[in-house]
Amino acid sequence: MLSLKEKDRPIVRKLLCAGCCVRCVLRFCCVGTCSAYRRSYELLAFISEESSPQPHDASGEEKTDEPPNKRLRIDEGSTEASVTAAQTDSDICPVCLGVLQDFCDPTFAKQVSDAVKNQQYEFNSLVLTVSLPAQLSVREHSCWLHVKKEIREKSMCLGKEDVIQVKDAFKWAVQGKIGQELGAAVLANVSSSCEVSVGFMHPETEEDCHFLANTCPDCFKPTKNKASIFTRMAVVKALEKISEEKFSRHYPCPPKKTNTRCTALDTTCLHTSVFIAGRYNKFSRELPQTPWVIDGERRMDGSVEELIAAPLLSSFRADGKLCVGRPNQIRIPNCRRCVCYFQMTINQSSDKIRVRDLQIVTREATSRMKEGEEEKTKTYSALIWTQKAIDSTDLEFLANIKDLKIAQKTPLRVLHRRPLAVRPRLIHSMSSIYLDGHHFTLKLCTQAGTYIKEFVHGDFGRTKPNLCDLMKTNADILELDVESVDIDWPPAIPD
Amino acid sequence: MEDSEKKAPSVIDRYFTRWYRTDLKGKSCEDHCILQHSNRICVITLAESHPILQNGRKIKNINYQISDGCSRLKNKVSGKSKRGGQFLTEFAPLCRITCTDEQEYTIFSCIRGRLLEVNEDILNKPDLLLEKPSTEGYIAVILPKFEESKSVTEGLLTREQYEEVLTKRNQQEEPC
């Protein structure tokens, strides 16, 4: 239900005078109903009703001063508003530069939908993103100032935030048709859906922004690669800073009309990244977590990463790189399927690993995993060799050590890819099982992020104190098993 | 000397390759051992035949200030690519060690690369260098350039070649 009121009439008139299109008029009247932007003939009926004399209006002075708008005439009587040859260049709205005119027609919506279909994405829902040329913000600002002056004279208020944004109006106008064409729901937020990007450019007015570089130079940072410094964000920032008076001096209010309308860029589709989390167990000591390659030569066959990722990659038909942040968290950009059960596939593919609790998680969840690395604890079991001969009494003292503070310099074995630093860590508790004169099993519960091997052999004395110091002998680690990772995420999924 | 009751290879055996440079700068027996990790990082240590480790010598002083403008202690690296580390060539001095018998020895880098760290523990406890020259008594850690990871050991001796040198020396009965 459209709701233009009496009070809107002066704004409507001023905007139509400036050459604004119907949808821009609605925007500046703060009409927030999506349906209002869809049906042009309805719009027009209201606009022409509002801008022309009401039958019951006694004075009859409200006759529009300007000649009937060409646009109104063209769209009238047709449910499918289409571009006709009669539409002249002067009809291009100086505020939206045509984005809210022809591009809101079903023809364009179909064009976008066809482009998506051609790229063969599968999805149940999509998100529409629109990118507009930066100068639209300048023209919007100019139009707002123009209208504001009028309002002030009638002692009313029009906040810039109350004005409906071009992006929103566009989406409201087209998403119904696009959704219909593609058989998918159009969502407002980006979560596990397909992102359809529509972009526009308008070379003719690119210089509209340039005056801002002189008035607000600190908003514009030099760019690499000869990219334009007039990014949308920079322009918006400058418009926030510049005073109304200064703006009006440098730029016409209302904005000048143009000869051309915007050109649409190619529609692109992108599946937002899917994040999959789970837990894995590794049953082989000869399997590294990530591929071990030195100088292009593979040192050990396979890896946890590859075993988990392979079935996912092929099922997802993912292109581009696969990022494995931690072994139990995989990010897959540009995948084309929704997740079903890959757990079974992975578990059947190899007896060296087992995964469980595989599930899709949000991007935000990945930070929970990072948190876990810092805060949580892990329990290990290690087979220790000692140089000096020991008996079981020599091990008793280990059980009495609680919350031992150690300082670990970045181990030499990872120093090539990690920054050099000293990491304070806690060994919460230990216990031991005597095996023979030179061997025992050491169980430890440590802060997550502790390098166990280095704690045992000392890493050239760069982890202090270490087990060699504690036991006053050279010691080495022969086997290391993770007993548990004490973090309650991702949530367990019953089989 | 390390007791060899081991059945399993040590940390050094498992991760490192031993390389040697003997008679550094023509000085008899001043042998260095470079431990090269499979990830290309190198640890510079004294070889077991180095004079400092012979005849019960004691260390009086270890000095990382190798010139007026340069102290290896001031070396600071940051980030994953270890920016800021002093770049060393083969004969860049790492430190000067003075023994109680007033003999002075310079320890050299032996390889080209970025200095990551020098061992500050031996400043406080020089005995570490005498007791555990291959592990806790290491001198420095150097990261060769990625492109030079392999070539950095050209000109160094393998363990076998080093042992041959030692054998020859014994035959010539050169005391160190």
Side-chain angles (χ1 to χ4, degrees):
Chain A
M1 189 180 60
L2 298 176
S3 47
L4 287 179
K5 300 185 170 56
E6 270 293 320
K7 65 170 175 71
D8 298 321
R9 201 172 292 163
I11 306 177
V12 171
R13 198 157 5 127
K14 236 194 164 177
L15 291 171
L16 289 175
C17 232
C20 280
C21 69
V22 159
R23 290 185 177 88
C24 282
V25 171
L26 289 177
R27 293 191 306 110
F28 279 92
C29 294
C30 308
V31 173
T33 13
C34 313
S35 49
Y37 294 85
R38 255 182 289 178
R39 319 274 274 227
S40 41
Y41 65 91
E42 269 180 27
L43 284 170
L44 291 159
F46 276 86
I47 296 283
S48 44
E49 195 187 277
E50 292 294 335
S51 62
S52 59
Q54 302 288 329
H56 55 270
D57 191 305
S59 61
E61 295 163 20
E62 300 294 347
K63 214 187 181 81
T64 51
D65 309 316
E66 62 276 36
N69 195 305
K70 273 195 192 149
R71 229 168 308 128
L72 296 177
R73 220 192 304 142
I74 285 167
D75 288 339
E76 223 169 282
S78 63
T79 52
E80 296 279 308
S82 51
V83 179
T84 70
Q87 185 135 0
T88 64
D89 292 330
S90 61
D91 284 337
I92 296 167
C93 173
V95 180
C96 70
L97 297 178
V99 169
L100 294 178
Q101 296 175 271
D102 303 325
F103 292 108
C104 289
D105 295 345
T107 352
F108 184 70
K110 182 144 201 313
Q111 235 178 288
V112 170
S113 311
D114 288 343
V116 174
K117 283 184 199 162
N118 283 343
Q119 291 176 54
Q120 297 184 324
Y121 273 77
E122 289 178 38
F123 47 84
N124 297 328
S125 61
L126 64 101
V127 152
L128 197 57
T129 60
V130 184
S131 91
L132 300 169
Q135 57 269 36
L136 248 59
S137 309
V138 177
R139 288 172 165 264
E140 181 86 356
H141 193 86
S142 150
C143 191
W144 174 63
L145 287 181
H146 178 62
V147 166
K148 211 168 113 151
K149 219 165 49 148
E150 171 78 27
I151 306 279
R152 219 178 284 142
E153 285 161 18
K154 305 240 169 15
S155 34
M156 284 189 281
C157 228
L158 179 65
K160 205 173 178 197
E161 323 71 59
D162 301 326
V163 173
I164 307 297
Q165 291 204 4
V166 175
K167 271 192 199 182
D168 293 329
F170 177 77
K171 287 188 203 179
W172 293 339
V174 302
Q175 65 194 19
K177 180 72 183 177
I178 292 182
Q180 203 180 45
E181 283 283 325
L182 296 175
V186 182
L187 301 179
N189 61 332
V190 185
S191 56
S192 267
S193 62
C194 178
E195 188 180 298
V196 174
S197 302
V198 176
F200 296 97
M201 63 174 194
H202 197 253
E204 185 194 328
T205 55
E206 253 156 43
E207 288 176 9
D208 277 10
C209 303
H210 289 191
F211 74 95
L212 288 169
N214 298 324
T215 58
C216 311
D218 48 328
C219 292
F220 298 96
K221 295 192 185 100
T223 60
K224 316 176 200 181
N225 307 329
K226 300 178 191 168
S228 169
I229 59 166
F230 298 104
T231 61
R232 275 186 291 281
M233 274 197 61
V235 168
V236 165
K237 211 164 142 203
L239 290 172
E240 279 166 19
K241 284 181 86 170
I242 192 172
S243 69
E244 286 182 29
E245 185 257 326
K246 213 174 189 181
F247 184 93
S248 318
R249 264 191 286 133
H250 286 88
Y251 196 83
C253 303
K256 280 215 210 65
K257 294 198 184 168
T258 63
N259 298 320
T260 57
R261 59 173 189 165
C262 279
T263 337
L265 303 168
D266 287 338
T267 304
T268 56
C269 303
L270 197 355
H271 246 297
T272 48
S273 298
V274 172
F275 291 85
I276 299 178
R279 288 175 181 263
Y280 74 90
N281 277 23
K282 183 166 79 78
F283 297 116
S284 161
R285 290 191 199 284
E286 269 133 47
L287 190 67
Q289 319 284 22
T290 52
W292 188 12
V293 178
I294 295 186
D295 299 331
E297 198 188 293
R298 174 74 78 125
R299 287 300 177 94
M300 228 179 225
D301 280 331
S303 64
V304 174
E305 175 183 302
E306 288 160 304
L307 286 175
I308 294 181
L312 290 173
L313 268 179
S314 63
S315 291
F316 274 87
R317 274 183 291 139
D319 12 85
K321 263 175 31 181
L322 175 76
C323 308
V324 180
R326 300 292 297 177
N328 23 345
Q329 185 174 281
I330 297 184
R331 185 175 92 101
I332 303 180
N334 260 334
C335 69
R336 300 176 182 202
R337 288 256 302 265
C338 292
V339 179
C340 299
Y341 295 111
F342 292 100
Q343 203 159 284
M344 215 159 52
T345 319
I346 295 170
N347 289 337
Q348 282 170 355
S349 70
S350 165
D351 55 3
K352 293 187 183 168
I353 65 163
R354 249 196 101 64
V355 299
R356 61 169 234 255
D357 305 335
L358 212 57
Q359 56 198 271
I360 298 183
V361 295
T362 62
R363 186 191 294 267
E364 291 69 40
T366 65
S367 56
R368 278 216 62 188
M369 171 161 282
K370 300 254 161 84
E371 261 172 43
E373 283 170 26
E374 302 286 304
E375 296 162 9
K376 298 298 182 168
T377 61
K378 288 187 179 177
T379 318
Y380 299 89
S381 168
L383 177 58
I384 310 293
W385 168 86
T386 56
Q387 188 171 32
K388 80 173 185 200
I390 54 165
D391 61 40
S392 54
T393 53
D394 293 321
L395 302 175
E396 279 163 15
F397 77 104
L398 291 170
N400 299 328
I401 299 177
K402 298 291 173 211
D403 291 335
L404 174 68
K405 287 201 188 118
I406 66 172
Q408 303 196 281
K409 275 199 203 162
T410 309
L412 293 178
R413 70 183 161 96
V414 300
L415 187 52
H416 62 295
R417 56 185 165 85
R418 300 258 170 88
L420 179 61
V422 180
R423 292 172 183 79
R425 287 288 181 266
L426 285 175
I427 311 284
H428 294 299
S429 62
M430 291 184 276
S431 67
S432 57
I433 301 169
Y434 179 81
L435 293 173
D436 66 39
H438 290 278
H439 299 91
F440 69 97
T441 302
L442 177 68
K443 285 203 200 280
L444 324 86
C445 178
T446 72
Q447 184 182 357
T450 308
Y451 289 95
I452 304 298
K453 295 179 188 175
E454 280 69 18
F455 169 67
V456 172
H457 60 62
D459 190 36
F460 291 71
R462 298 165 75 258
T463 287
K464 282 202 278 271
N466 54 65
L467 194 64
C468 302
D469 295 333
L470 296 177
M471 297 200 58
K472 300 200 182 22
T473 172
N474 275 349
D476 202 357
I477 182 168
L478 301 181
E479 285 177 5
L480 179 62
D481 291 321
V482 179
E483 301 263 304
S484 70
V485 177
D486 309 315
I487 173 175
D488 54 8
W489 184 91
I493 295 186
D495 287 324
Chain B
M1 288 299 285
E2 288 191 322
D3 181 37
S4 32
E5 253 268 53
K6 322 179 210 231
K7 291 181 191 148
S10 66
V11 175
I12 296 181
D13 296 325
R14 282 188 282 126
Y15 286 110
F16 294 87
T17 309
R18 293 178 168 88
W19 297 94
Y20 295 86
R21 196 161 223 147
T22 52
D23 306 314
L24 249 309
K25 289 231 168 164
K27 299 212 179 138
S28 174
C29 299
E30 286 190 27
D31 306 332
H32 294 38
C33 174
I34 299 96
L35 298 172
Q36 185 191 39
H37 194 283
S38 53
N39 67 16
R40 90 179 191 273
I41 286 187
C42 293
V43 184
I44 312 302
T45 67
L46 295 183
E48 60 238 43
S49 49
H50 197 286
I52 295 177
L53 302 176
Q54 314 306 319
N55 304 329
R57 279 195 174 88
K58 287 287 181 197
I59 294 176
K60 190 166 99 172
N61 173 255
I62 300 177
N63 193 357
Y64 281 112
Q65 182 97 36
I66 53 155
S67 71
D68 283 336
C70 183
S71 164
R72 298 304 181 198
L73 290 176
K74 293 236 171 77
N75 192 68
K76 233 179 140 35
V77 296
S78 63
K80 259 189 233 178
S81 38
K82 321 296 185 294
R83 262 183 289 271
Q86 295 163 6
F87 194 83
L88 307 171
T89 54
E90 287 99 318
F91 295 108
L94 289 173
C95 64
R96 278 187 241 287
I97 299 179
T98 316
C99 293
T100 46
D101 59 3
E102 299 308 322
Q103 292 275 44
E104 226 189 68
Y105 302 93
T106 304
I107 314 301
F108 296 95
S109 167
C110 301
I111 56 164
R112 282 169 54 86
R114 206 187 282 276
L115 179 64
L116 298 188
E117 66 179 53
V118 291
N119 190 350
E120 296 190 28
D121 292 336
I122 56 178
L123 289 179
N124 309 321
K125 267 188 80 185
D127 282 350
L128 268 181
L129 180 47
L130 300 173
E131 287 160 24
K132 295 188 174 174
S134 306
T135 54
E136 284 169 72
Y138 73 95
I139 306 289
V141 178
I142 298 179
L143 177 69
K145 283 193 195 179
F146 185 76
E147 317 80 74
E148 292 178 14
S149 332
K150 283 251 150 112
S151 60
V152 85
T153 51
E154 279 163 22
L156 298 178
L157 302 177
T158 62
R159 175 85 199 173
E160 291 75 40
Q161 291 167 328
Y162 169 68
E163 284 175 356
E164 276 170 41
V165 170
L166 291 183
T167 319
K168 280 210 197 98
R169 278 194 202 143
N170 287 337
Q171 287 166 355
Q172 289 162 9
E173 291 186 31
E174 280 265 355
C176 287

